[in-house]
Amino acid sequence: GLGIVRNEATMQAALDELQSLDCGNEVEAARKKLASAMLMSALARQESRGAHYREDFPETREECRKTAVAEQKNGAVRIMFEEIPERRRK
């Protein structure tokens, strides 16, 4: 679901499959949380950016040039987008 060419259907199917997996230990559970956050972030970014192409959102939109931040609270993952601080030249 997180290949170079993506779309909502394949990413959602991957997230659904991931959520159905039973984790046997803490390492597997942590990997599942990380993979879930990555898929949720990719689903939330409704544009093509860099090397990642969304078939359902082929254009790059400058207003979407933000950093994705995943936060876990009470077992739920939340995806937010934050402004990118401008780089300062020395």
Side-chain angles (χ1 to χ4, degrees):
L2 287 176
I4 294 171
V5 178
R6 306 169 175 186
N7 63 54
E8 181 178 2
T10 57
M11 288 188 290
Q12 187 61 55
L15 184 58
D16 293 344
E17 183 177 346
L18 181 65
Q19 296 303 322
S20 72
L21 295 177
D22 196 18
C23 296
N25 59 51
E26 288 183 34
V27 173
E28 289 177 3
R31 287 179 179 160
K32 179 179 175 178
K33 287 178 188 176
L34 177 58
S36 295
M38 291 170 63
L39 280 160
M40 291 171 66
S41 177
L43 278 163
R45 185 175 294 282
Q46 296 183 337
E47 65 158 354
S48 291
R49 171 87 36 199
H52 301 125
Y53 178 76
R54 289 270 317 243
E55 293 175 313
D56 46 353
F57 294 97
E59 301 297 322
T60 298
R61 301 183 347 217
E62 193 54 34
E63 67 269 16
C64 294
R65 185 177 177 259
K66 298 181 179 184
T67 298
V69 178
E71 175 183 76
Q72 180 184 347
K73 194 171 190 178
N74 299 326
V77 176
R78 181 173 71 128
I79 305 297
M80 302 163 286
F81 290 95
E82 296 181 354
E83 296 294 328
I84 299 172
E86 294 301 319
R87 293 183 181 186
R88 295 186 181 139
R89 294 182 185 216
K90 294 183 180 183

